[in-house]
Amino acid sequence: MTTTPPAHGAKRGDVVLVLFPHSDLRTAKTRPALVVQADGLETGLPQLIVAMITSRMFRAAHPSRITVLLSSPEGQRSGLLSDSVVMTDNLATIADAAIDRVIGSLPMNAVDTALAHTLGLKAAVATPEPSEEESS
């Protein structure tokens, strides 16, 4: 399957400005979101899975949510304008056309843990690939 990469160039871990749908799916608001979809998924559909980002810090106290503080190195690279919360319990599949631009990026380690909690997945343990000698 051959697909054309999206014009915005967003990849996993990027913070994007996007038209994010409200829960009623009838209205939307431009807001930051974090791309959580795997790179190179190649579904043939011009869309991405993103997690909502909010500046409402009172929402932070939950294992499905990650706090981003502007005073941290991660926060400074995020492109966000204020301390924020990545809400992995508020995901949306959005059309590539709904992405305005990439504004920054965030590391995915804590996000992956929060996503595993949200989706009820056991934490994945990376297993090393066998070396050429081991596979011979």
Side-chain angles (χ1 to χ4, degrees):
M1 173 185 326
T2 303
T3 58
T4 305
H8 52 71
K11 61 188 182 307
R12 190 168 201 277
D14 281 347
V15 177
V16 294
L17 282 183
V18 62
L19 193 58
F20 197 95
H22 290 128
S23 57
D24 65 8
L25 301 179
R26 295 172 194 252
T27 56
K29 171 183 175 181
T30 300
R31 66 176 325 120
L34 179 67
V35 177
V36 296
Q37 177 175 305
D39 291 335
L41 194 56
E42 297 188 20
T43 63
L45 301 171
Q47 61 191 24
L48 285 174
I49 302 169
V50 298
M52 185 180 97
I53 298 177
T54 182
S55 60
R56 305 184 97 192
M57 295 304 291
F58 71 88
R59 297 190 184 274
H62 191 280
S64 290
R65 299 174 184 172
I66 304 301
T67 301
V68 179
L69 300 176
L70 290 186
S71 60
S72 71
E74 295 84 6
Q76 292 171 13
R77 288 189 296 272
S78 70
L80 297 168
L81 300 178
S82 61
D83 292 347
S84 298
V85 180
V86 177
M87 298 182 57
T88 69
D89 55 319
N90 194 344
L91 303 176
T93 302
I94 54 148
D96 285 346
I99 296 175
D100 181 42
R101 67 186 180 277
V102 176
I103 62 170
S105 64
L106 287 170
M108 292 300 289
N109 292 340
V111 175
D112 287 342
T113 301
L115 280 166
H117 181 270
T118 297
L119 301 173
L121 304 173
K122 293 185 179 178
V125 178
T127 55
E129 293 290 321
S131 67
E132 287 184 30
E133 294 172 4
E134 292 174 330
S135 60
S136 303

